[in-house]
Structures are given as structure tokens and as C-alpha cells.
Amino acid sequence: MLSDADLKTITNIPAPVVMTKLHVSHQLAYGVRDLAPLTTLSSLRSLDIVTYCADIDNESFRGLSVLTSMTSLHFGIVNHVSGDGLVDGLAGSAATLQELALVDCSSLQNAGLAALTASLPQLRRLSLIKIPWLTNSCVGGALMRLGVLTCLQLHDNGNISCGDGGLQQLAKLPLLRQVDIKRFPRFTPQDVNTLLQFDNLVQVNDRCKLRRTPDSENYLAGLEPHR
């Protein structure tokens, strides 16, 4: 089990060694309560601590604002970090962050996600997994702000549907090329058929896996049963 002292040891790298990427596996990350040691990694570009950070709160996460070069952040089980904390903590990397994955963030709601996406103009890849309070309005509000988004992953967000007020709005994102959807209990075969009509590459993992080629006249040509 990785403690705060262990994290400080990992990040205490002698010059001239420069750490640009840090991955903490889920076997080690349980028990991390303080992100302060990471603030010394001024050249950090990629941070991956996806699971077992349940004790991290807004105050701790805001410390990451001193990092100004991050392009990728994967963070999970952060039940006490709200949208405000995410916006503040990523303020330093707002102009550079291109990939963001949030897993099991139970304090994140539609308004917080909207504020977050508005602050990240260069975000190209977004993954939202087990964010229980998100609804259709987050699609029309938060996601529509991401004009350069190319890849979107949504898993276990059961309050989002495919209708006019839901995922159909994704068709308005000009650069979106991949949508990965998994475990959406409201989805029907008709919903899948609707998503197939997008001009971009779409993957639906809930009921089937599908790809549509640009020259395909039959939307169902690329449909494969989910296994």
C-alpha cells in the first residue's frame, strides 16, 4: 500500500533526471491522501492514478494547479473532488491538457462538468466512467463546449439516454471520430441504429460493437453482435 511518504520518495528525483510521466497502479495507490509531492514535478506531462484515491479532496487536488505542462490526466475514485476542485487543480494545465479520464467521481455533477470542459479548450479525449449524477443536460451543455474533441468514452452513466436531448447531440461536434459507450441500461436497438447514422466512427459496447465505413450505404453493414 502506497503511503504519502512513499509518494514523496518516488517524486524526490535527483537532478538532472526529469520525470514527465507517472503511473501509479491500483495495487499501490490505495491510501494516497496528499498530492503535494507531485507539485515538485514541474515537467510532468502525464499523470495516471486511476483507482483508490478516495481520500483526495478539493484542497489537495487544487495543489496540482502549479503543474503547467500536463497533457494527460487519468484519475479515479475521487469522491470528494467536485467540479470546482477539478477546474482549480487543472488551471495550470488548462491550455495543454488533451486527455482526461475521470473514474467514479461521485461529487461531479452537470454544472461542475460544464465548468470543467469550458476551461479545457484543447481537450481531445474525454473518458467519464461511473459518474452517477450526470444527465442528458451534460451532453448539451458540458460536452458541446469541446470543439476539438475527437474521442469520447462513457461507461456506467445510466441517466444519459440517446434521444434528442441526449447523445444525439454529439453529432454536432465537428471533430468527434470515436464514441465508446458501455453499460447504458436505457439503450435500445433503435438507439444503436441512431448512432450509426453519425458520419464519424462509432463504437457501442453495450449491446453490440459497430463501425461505419465512410462509403457504407447500409448503416448496419458493420454491426457485430456483442460477445
Side-chain angles (χ1 to χ4, degrees):
M1 182 173 68
L2 186 69
S3 67
D4 296 336
D6 296 328
L7 187 61
K8 185 175 182 180
T9 300
I10 292 172
T11 57
N12 188 20
I13 302 174
V17 178
V18 175
M19 181 181 286
T20 60
K21 183 176 182 178
L22 176 62
H23 171 77
V24 181
S25 70
H26 41 253
Q27 288 89 352
L28 295 176
Y30 186 80
V32 174
R33 294 179 174 85
D34 185 9
L35 299 177
L38 298 178
T39 63
T40 64
L41 302 177
S42 59
S43 298
L44 192 66
R45 296 177 61 82
S46 177
L47 175 60
D48 187 347
I49 309 180
V50 178
T51 56
Y52 302 125
C53 292
D55 291 319
I56 299 299
D57 58 15
N58 280 339
E59 182 178 358
S60 180
F61 194 85
R62 285 185 175 113
L64 297 182
S65 62
V66 300
L67 302 178
T68 59
S69 302
M70 281 203 302
T71 60
S72 175
L73 173 66
H74 292 194
F75 222 76
I77 310 187
V78 281
N79 299 327
H80 304 297
V81 179
S82 66
D84 290 340
L86 290 168
V87 170
D88 294 342
L90 295 176
S93 296
T96 59
L97 197 70
Q98 298 181 19
E99 180 173 346
L100 176 64
L102 298 173
V103 181
D104 205 353
C105 298
S106 60
S107 293
L108 183 60
Q109 301 187 21
N110 291 331
L113 183 62
L116 179 62
T117 55
S119 71
L120 301 174
Q122 300 302 318
L123 199 64
R124 287 167 168 76
R125 300 175 65 87
L126 175 63
S127 178
L128 300 171
I129 299 176
K130 293 184 179 179
I131 316 292
W133 300 111
L134 299 185
T135 66
N136 282 344
S137 65
C138 87
V139 181
L143 301 185
M144 289 300 104
R145 301 170 186 264
L146 299 173
V148 298
L149 191 70
T150 62
C151 178
L152 174 65
Q153 184 180 53
L154 295 170
H155 288 187
D156 295 285
N157 298 298
N159 291 320
I160 299 175
S161 67
C162 187
D164 292 339
L167 293 180
Q168 286 191 33
Q169 297 183 73
L170 295 178
K172 300 175 184 178
L173 292 174
L175 300 182
L176 188 62
R177 293 295 176 267
Q178 180 174 333
V179 179
D180 183 345
I181 299 170
K182 188 174 183 181
R183 288 191 288 272
F184 270 57
R186 295 187 181 184
F187 261 45
T188 66
Q190 290 76 19
D191 292 332
V192 173
N193 203 25
T194 298
L195 291 179
L196 276 168
Q197 299 179 44
F198 287 8
D199 289 332
N200 45 21
L201 172 66
V202 179
Q203 296 177 332
V204 179
N205 295 324
D206 185 27
R207 298 176 181 272
C208 58
K209 294 181 179 179
L210 55 95
R211 281 182 170 81
R212 176 191 168 194
T213 57
D215 57 349
S216 175
E217 296 296 327
N218 182 358
Y219 290 153
L220 297 179
L223 191 61
E224 300 176 1
H226 177 60
R227 298 178 183 178

